[in-house]
């Protein structure tokens, strides 16, 4: 009989493979906060803007949602993680900021300091 | 120190986080800090470019002094003065970690600092229950599995007997996070040993405190952790069914739980022969209608059984006779979320965090007059001041701090002299409040303490189920008295009446709702008695919140524009155009419209 612990390790390996298959190793990972509080602040629309950008050909980006990290007064939040770099968390992301983040940060690699949560 | 957290203008790409917990201090982290200063000078580094944080105990005392360095969030252990120069030169300046000093990482800390470590808001936090919240996609079981999800369960099923699991939870020192702080392991032990044909496990996600959202966020951000805890609990006590009782007002949390259960079932993690073991367990969701009293365990059980959600006297406790009369283990969401970590990192590690009698961390929903409102998780023993001023960033507009309310409608208000109270069950109780489930409301000078007490009492009075007289009638009478005090009709002797009623209700009520309902009133009387007296004797509210106690008047700044006269619905403003107007206090209904209408700041209140 396979032991549960071996079973779960196999599942983990498979899960990691699936995640990588979805593009996890892209240079940039983008997480949009999607908890009740974030959604109330408007994050659904923000998510759609990022999804649309990916559909329209934005490459090298792994897009995902995440739960609440606790920054209620700064929501919606969007986090951009690049391997080996400090994760960048943007606060109060409205549609306009979302588009700017796509244009400037995701496409050109510019961190838009003024919207970064410190 | 506090200043550092307010510096919102710099993002530091390079951060040195030095542990200044007692263990590391003992081993020389203080000397390191001063050596760091010299090192900075020698290398021409500035604190603007490289941020230096003190972390509080990181729980890696055995390998102290410990230091975490960005970029890379590398954890160094046993750092000596001699190693500093190398770390600064190689890591900070050239960006290459010093391999020989890297210690094996605790996966929790590693992840935590990777994502949050550079931010003041997170600097004093430590995330155990919320370790994946805001990090993973909560709707992806793959994300959870990839971060060693369900490994604790697998380990339990592979190599631990139920008794060993109970023992581990006991040794961890974990106490219930739903409010009362009962030792979790002991409860598990009772349920395990209770005789019964079938046993049940319940997750209490009713979360009824006004303003609380800890449990909702935990479920929305990482539902699998809660599930994993519940399944482990089922195995430990010998149950085959788990029920998550969650209020219907949490649709997103419910949806994510449903998805998590479905995904876990597809992976063979819920259902028959979990992960190939001979343990079978199923989990279902029951929706509550959002009554506060249904969070009380016996009322909750009645509600699941289909009866009215009313409490019953205990004993017997649910661990002996719970759902359908069978032994039932009931724990809070956050309690469950701690379980996988206790199994993965061990009771020893878990109990190294926190204070003597309160182990681990606590999640708080910080709200009210504080700059950073939000969800925080801190090690037990963190002081109220650290939460409010260091993590919370202090009071907006530099207003004066007046009180902090913990424990929601069952808790109390603590004034400034209690700010250095460490967060743990006993200390908060001694100070006159409670830990509660994690609500924390910061109150500044603009709020009326009588009004706050009234707010909470109005809530509990509304939510009283009516079964027992002290709670049903008593809270009503208290509310009447508070209402008249805030409306300027307070009478001599009202304070004493409130105290007497409050003490009686506490003693005589059937369940925790009534037993704790007077707390907000009693604690504000204790700590802010003079405000009650002002309301009653002088008909004055120093905060200006009790509108009925205000008197409106018009100052010399009035230019006679007639704006106030036009809006006054009571015809209380008199005066001709271009002349100073006046308010007839007899007619005035204190609606405040004149004040809002005045463009010259000439309408004032006293
Ligand atoms: C009026 C009242 C409301 C309660 N509401 C909750 C609640 O919303 N969530 C919760 O976990 N416990 C609540 N409790 C505490 C539960 O009765 C019970 O102690 C708890 O679920 C046990 O879990 P724990 O040991 O993990 O804290 C409430 C108690 C009372 C008296």
């Amino acid at each position: 009989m396979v032991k549960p612990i071996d079973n779960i390790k196999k599942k983990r390996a498979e899960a990691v493979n699936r995640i990588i298959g979805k593009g996890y190793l892209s240079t940039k990972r983008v997480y949009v906060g999607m908890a009740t509080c974030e959604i109330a602040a408007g994050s659904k629309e923000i998510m759609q803007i990022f999804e649309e950008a990916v559909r329209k050909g934005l490459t090298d980006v792994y897009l995902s949602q995440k739960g609440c990290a606790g920054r209620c007064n700064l929501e919606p939040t969007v986090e951009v993680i690049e391997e080996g770099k400090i994760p960048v968390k943007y606060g109060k992301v409205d549609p306009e900021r979302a588009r700017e983040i796509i244009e400037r940060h995701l496409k050109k690699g510019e961190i838009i300091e003024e919207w970064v949560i410190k | 120190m506090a200043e550092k957290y307010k510096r919102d203008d710099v993002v530091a790409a390079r951060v040195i986080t030095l542990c200044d917990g007692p263990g590391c201090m003992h081993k020389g982290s203080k000397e390191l800090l001063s050596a760091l200063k010299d090192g900075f000078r020698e290398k021409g580094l500035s604190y603007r470019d490289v941020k230096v944080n003190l972390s509080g105990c990181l729980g890696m005392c055995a390998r102290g002094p410990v230091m975490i360095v960005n970029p890379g969030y590398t954890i160094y252990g046993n750092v000596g003065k001699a190693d500093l120069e190398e770390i600064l030169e190689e890591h900070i300046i050239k960006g290459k970690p010093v391999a020989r000093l890297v210690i094996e990482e605790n996966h929790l800390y590693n992840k935590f600092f990777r994502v949050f470590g550079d931010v003041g808001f997170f600097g004093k936090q430590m995330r155990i229950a919320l370790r994946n919240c805001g990090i993973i996609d909560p709707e992806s079981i793959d994300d959870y599995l990839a971060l060693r999800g369900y490994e604790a369960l697998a380990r339990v099923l592979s190599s631990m007997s139920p008794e060993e699991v109970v023992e581990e939870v006991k040794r961890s020192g974990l106490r219930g996070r739903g409010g009362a702080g009962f030792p979790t392991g002991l409860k598990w032990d009772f349920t395990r040993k209770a005789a019964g044909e079938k046993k049940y496990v319940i997750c209490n996600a009713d979360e009824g405190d006004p303003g609380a959202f800890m449990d909702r966020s935990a479920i929305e951000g990482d539902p699998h952790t809660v599930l994993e805890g519940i399944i482990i609990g089922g195995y430990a006590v010998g149950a085959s069914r788990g029920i998550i009782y969650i209020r219907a007002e949490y649709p997103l949390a419910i949806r994510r739980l449903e998805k998590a259960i479905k995904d876990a079932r597809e992976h063979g993690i819920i259902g028959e022969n979990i992960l190939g073991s001979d343990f079978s367990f199923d989990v279902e969701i029951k929706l509550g209608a959002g009554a506060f009293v249904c969070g009380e365990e016996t009322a909750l059980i009645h509600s699941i059984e289909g009866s009215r959600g009313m409490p019953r006297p205990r004993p017997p406790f649910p661990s002996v006779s719970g759902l359908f009369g069978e032994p039932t283990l009931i724990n809070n969401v956050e309690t469950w979320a701690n379980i996988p970590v206790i199994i993965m990192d061990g009771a020893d590690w878990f109990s190294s965090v926190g204070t003597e009698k309160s182990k681990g961390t606590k999640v708080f929903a910080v709200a009210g007059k504080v700059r950073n409102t939000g969800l925080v998780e801190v090690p037990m023993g963190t002081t109220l001041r650290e939460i409010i001023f260091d993590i919370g960033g202090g009071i907006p507009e530099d207003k004066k701090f007046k009180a902090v309310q913990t424990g929601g409608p069952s808790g109390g208000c603590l004034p400034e002299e209690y700010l250095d109270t460490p967060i743990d069950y006993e200390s908060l109780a001694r100070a006159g409040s409670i830990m509660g489930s994690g609500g924390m409301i910061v109150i500044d000078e603009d709020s009326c303490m009588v009004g706050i007490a009234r707010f909470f009492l109005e809530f509990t009075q509304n939510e009283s189920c009516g079964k027992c007289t002290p709670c049903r009638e008593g809270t009503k009478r208290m509310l009447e008295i508070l209402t008249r005090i805030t409306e300027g009709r307070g009478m001599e002797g009202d304070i004493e009446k409130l105290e007497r009623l409050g003490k009686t209700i506490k003693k005589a009520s059937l369940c925790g709702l009534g037993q704790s309902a007077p707390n907000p009133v009693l604690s504000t009387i204790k700590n802010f008695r003079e405000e009650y007296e002002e309301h009653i004797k002088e008909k004055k509210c120093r905060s200006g919140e009790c509108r009925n106690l205000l008197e409106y008047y018009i100052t010399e700044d009035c230019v006679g524009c007639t704006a106030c006269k036009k809006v006054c619905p009571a015809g209380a403003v008199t005066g001709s155009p271009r002349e100073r107007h006046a308010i007839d206090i007899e007619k005035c209904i204190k609606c405040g419209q004149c004040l809002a209408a005045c463009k010259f700041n000439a309408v004032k209140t006293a």
Side-chain angles (χ1 to χ4, degrees), chain A residues 1 5 7 11-12 18 34-36 64-67 69-73 83 86-87 89 113 118, chain B residues 8 11 73 114 116 118-119 121 127 134 137 139 142 145 151 158 220 256 267 275-276 371 373-375:
Chain A
M1 200 181 80
I5 193 79
N7 210 327
K11 281 185 188 298
R12 185 188 320 145
R18 274 191 299 270
M34 293 282 274
T36 293
S64 179
Q65 60 174 353
K66 63 179 173 59
R71 302 310 304 267
C72 303
N73 52 336
E83 211 43 61
I86 298 266
K89 245 200 183 94
E113 296 287 352
K118 310 295 163 35
Chain B
D8 279 355
V11 208
Y73 301 85
R114 212 181 146 71
F116 299 125
D118 51 333
V119 178
F121 179 75
R127 299 204 153 196
D137 177 354
E139 293 184 36
D142 281 348
L145 286 168
E151 188 177 323
S158 299
E220 283 179 0
R256 289 198 173 146
H267 277 269
L275 292 170
R371 278 202 182 86
T373 53
L375 210 59

Side-chain angles (χ1 to χ4, degrees), chain B residues 14 35 91 158 190 244 255 304 316 341 424 513 538 573 604:
Chain B
R14 294 178 291 178
H91 196 153
S158 299
F190 292 152
I244 301 171
R255 210 187 70 216
I304 296 179
V341 179
D424 67 35
L513 192 150
E538 301 165 35
V573 183
K604 298 273 189 226

Side-chain angles (χ1 to χ4, degrees), chain B residues 176-180 182 187 204 206-208 215 292-293 295-297 330-333 335 511-513:
Chain B
R177 303 294 193 238
F182 189 82
K187 203 190 259 187
N204 188 345
D206 189 59
E207 194 162 54
D215 296 347
F292 178 56
V293 75
E296 195 281 334
E297 54 191 26
I330 174 163
N331 277 126
N332 165 262
V333 172
T335 314
C511 85
L513 192 150

Side-chain angles (χ1 to χ4, degrees), chain B residues 105-174:
Chain B
E105 304 135 336
N106 177 311
H107 69 273
L108 263 181
Y109 284 117
N110 184 27
K111 194 147 40 101
F112 173 71
F113 275 96
R114 212 181 146 71
V115 181
F116 299 125
D118 51 333
V119 178
F121 179 75
F122 295 106
K124 290 213 165 176
Q125 294 197 49
M126 173 171 180
R127 299 204 153 196
I128 295 179
L130 301 179
R131 65 197 178 285
N132 292 325
C133 284
I135 296 182
I136 65 171
D137 177 354
E139 293 184 36
S140 159
I141 194 172
D142 281 348
D143 271 25
Y144 186 64
L145 286 168
L147 293 176
R148 300 175 77 179
Y150 291 112
E151 188 177 323
L153 173 66
R155 199 185 288 178
V156 161
L157 295 178
S158 299
S159 58
M160 286 172 87
S161 69
E163 289 81 2
E164 283 170 336
V165 179
V166 172
E167 198 48 42
E168 194 73 9
V169 176
K170 260 192 188 168
R171 280 204 312 119
S172 74
L174 177 66

Side-chain angles (χ1 to χ4, degrees), chain A residues 3 30 32 38 43 53 56 66 77 79 90 99-100 111:
Chain A
K3 274 186 141 194
V30 179
V32 180
E38 302 253 18
S43 70
K56 286 192 176 155
K66 63 179 173 59
T77 62
E79 187 173 14
Y90 292 110
R99 287 187 201 100
E100 289 271 304
I111 294 172

